[in-house]
């Protein structure tokens, strides 16, 4: 099932307008406006209003579609379309004034992701992929890197906000990867980490404890840019499996090898 060019243009416009709202609010944002969902899990009216704007816009473009959203939860649809939305990925960065956050929006048809958009609000970079049609950054085609091995790789990762999920296994994996790669980054927006693998800025990325809204768009971006995305067993349970290893295909076996030494 495909959506038409006019609908794609409307979706892009919706994301850009929501990004404009986030950019405006970032300018005068004060940390008192933050609420806590958990000890380190932050949310603000910006996340909530952005999600409302996206939800209303998506329903105008595809009436009756369903949703999986970070803030508002699930909404059952009356047709096979479903949106998976993180209105502000990188909230901790946002509230600290660190300009590394994004909107992540994916569209599924019968549970297959057919469109993924990650919008880097501060840099005005729009990453978009359509199933079978490639991946693009501001309209230009993008591709994963061809970095041949971990030794030359710039890797990205992230750590759970929930302290009880920060276990010694994760630190052991981090240690082993750090010993092998050129360098490693933790930038704080999983959606952008994936988009940056798709365009070759990062050679690979892995993380645990993620939710579908963090990565739904990013998975399609990396795959359409020629990369491989798996769970830590090398399988395809990526969207709901809470484990992601995303990489160029040359390096993917090596990355999995290091991870699997600890996650078996
Ligand atoms: C978070 C970011 C971060 C990742 C966390 C996510 P949020 O999303 O993607 O990079 O490490 O696991 O929860 O809370 O900023 O939308
Ligand atoms: Ca997120
Ligand atoms: Ca979020």
């Amino acid at each position: 099932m495909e959506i038409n060019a006019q609908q794609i243009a409307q979706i892009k416009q919706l994301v850009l307008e929501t990004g404009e709202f986030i950019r405006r609010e970032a300018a005068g944002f004060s940390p008192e406006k933050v609420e806590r969902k958990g000890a380190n899990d932050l949310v603000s009216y910006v996340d909530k209003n952005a999600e409302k704007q996206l939800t209303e816009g998506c329903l105008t473009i595809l009436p009756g579609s369903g949703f999986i959203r970070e803030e508002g939860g699930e909404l059952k649809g009356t047709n096979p379309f479903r949106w998976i939305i993180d209105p502000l990925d990188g909230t901790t960065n946002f509230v600290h004034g660190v300009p590394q956050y994004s909107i992540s929006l994916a569209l599924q048809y019968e549970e297959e992701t057919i469109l993924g958009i990650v919008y880097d609000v501060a840099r005005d970079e729009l990453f978009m992929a359509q199933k079978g049609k490639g991946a693009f950054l501001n309209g230009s085609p993008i591709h994963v890197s061809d970095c041949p091995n971990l030794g030359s790789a710039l890797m990205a990762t992230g750590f759970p906000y929930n302290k009880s999920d920060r276990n010694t296994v994760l630190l052991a994996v981090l240690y082993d990867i750090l010993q092998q790669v050129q360098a490693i980054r933790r930038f704080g927006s999983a959606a952008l980490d994936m988009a940056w693998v798709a365009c070759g800025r990062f050679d690979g990325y892995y993380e645990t404890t993620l939710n579908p809204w963090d990565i739904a768009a990013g998975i399609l971006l990396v795959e359409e840019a020629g990369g491989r995305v798996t769970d830590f067993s090398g399988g395809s349970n990526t969207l709901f499996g809470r484990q992601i290893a995303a990489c160029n295909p040359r390096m993917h076996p090596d990355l999995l090898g290091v991870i699997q030494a600890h996650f078996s």
Side-chain angles (χ1 to χ4, degrees), residues 154-187:
L154 179 59
M155 292 290 302
T157 189
F159 311 106
Y161 285 138
N162 182 345
K163 287 183 186 164
S164 61
D165 290 325
R166 295 176 187 171
N167 51 43
T168 47
V169 178
L170 282 184
L171 287 181
V173 174
L174 178 66
Y175 179 82
D176 282 357
I177 293 205
L178 199 50
Q179 290 300 86
Q180 296 206 36
V181 297
Q182 196 171 77
I184 193 156
R185 302 284 181 259
R186 194 296 189 239
F187 279 0

Side-chain angles (χ1 to χ4, degrees), residues 221-258:
L221 275 166
V222 173
E223 289 176 346
E224 287 295 323
R228 268 203 85 195
V229 185
T230 67
D231 56 32
F232 289 176
S233 72
S236 59
N237 186 18
T238 49
L239 187 57
F240 295 99
R242 297 173 77 76
Q243 298 175 340
I244 281 284
C247 211
N248 80 37
R250 293 176 81 179
M251 273 176 41
H252 195 274
D254 293 349
L255 174 63
L256 265 197
V258 180

Side-chain angles (χ1 to χ4, degrees), residues 37 41 47 70-71 85-91 102 104 161 188-191 210-215:
K37 293 191 277 186
D41 196 1
D47 305 60
E70 177 168 19
E71 308 307 337
I85 296 177
D86 189 336
L88 182 48
D89 185 57
T91 298
S102 59
S104 176
Y161 285 138
S189 164
L210 294 164
N211 288 295
W213 48 80
D214 299 314
I215 46 165

Side-chain angles (χ1 to χ4, degrees), residues 2-231:
E2 284 194 12
I3 46 172
N4 63 39
Q6 192 196 353
Q7 288 167 319
I8 291 173
Q10 288 172 326
I11 296 165
K12 269 194 197 163
Q13 188 56 28
L14 172 65
V15 170
L16 291 173
E17 282 168 12
T18 309
E20 182 55 42
F21 161 72
I22 295 173
R23 230 175 351 254
R24 260 199 326 269
E25 297 307 314
F29 192 79
S30 104
E32 290 113 62
K33 296 173 181 164
V34 173
E35 298 162 43
R36 281 175 193 274
K37 293 191 277 186
N40 298 311
D41 196 1
L42 311 179
V43 66
S44 75
Y45 75 94
V46 179
D47 305 60
K48 291 178 185 169
N49 290 1
E51 189 177 278
K52 186 166 177 283
Q53 190 169 333
L54 289 167
T55 304
E56 288 170 1
C58 292
L59 281 172
T60 306
I61 298 164
L62 285 172
S65 43
F67 289 84
I68 297 178
R69 301 164 302 171
E70 177 168 19
E71 308 307 337
E74 287 195 35
L75 266 184
K76 281 248 168 298
T78 53
N79 64 39
F81 287 103
R82 177 167 77 176
W83 305 86
I84 304 183
I85 296 177
D86 189 336
L88 182 48
D89 185 57
T91 298
T92 304
N93 284 341
F94 179 83
V95 306
H96 287 269
V98 175
Q100 180 82 1
Y101 40 83
S102 59
I103 294 169
S104 176
L105 175 142
L107 177 62
Q108 295 192 313
Y109 184 79
E110 287 176 346
E111 299 188 9
E112 180 188 44
T113 305
I114 57 170
L115 177 81
I117 293 182
V118 174
Y119 181 50
D120 182 333
V121 175
R123 293 184 185 82
D124 190 24
E125 288 190 335
L126 189 126
F127 296 85
M128 188 177 104
Q130 248 186 294
K131 183 84 191 168
K133 296 195 172 171
F136 301 84
L137 165 53
N138 288 345
S140 300
I142 52 174
H143 207 270
V144 294
S145 82
D146 63 358
C147 180
N149 51 47
L150 289 175
S152 321
L154 179 59
M155 292 290 302
T157 189
F159 311 106
Y161 285 138
N162 182 345
K163 287 183 186 164
S164 61
D165 290 325
R166 295 176 187 171
N167 51 43
T168 47
V169 178
L170 282 184
L171 287 181
V173 174
L174 178 66
Y175 179 82
D176 282 357
I177 293 205
L178 199 50
Q179 290 300 86
Q180 296 206 36
V181 297
Q182 196 171 77
I184 193 156
R185 302 284 181 259
R186 194 296 189 239
F187 279 0
S189 164
L192 272 183
D193 292 335
M194 297 281 280
W196 285 23
V197 172
C199 72
R201 291 176 188 164
F202 290 143
D203 300 300
Y205 161 73
Y206 74 95
E207 188 166 349
T208 60
T209 333
L210 294 164
N211 288 295
W213 48 80
D214 299 314
I215 46 165
I219 292 170
L220 188 65
L221 275 166
V222 173
E223 289 176 346
E224 287 295 323
R228 268 203 85 195
V229 185
T230 67
D231 56 32

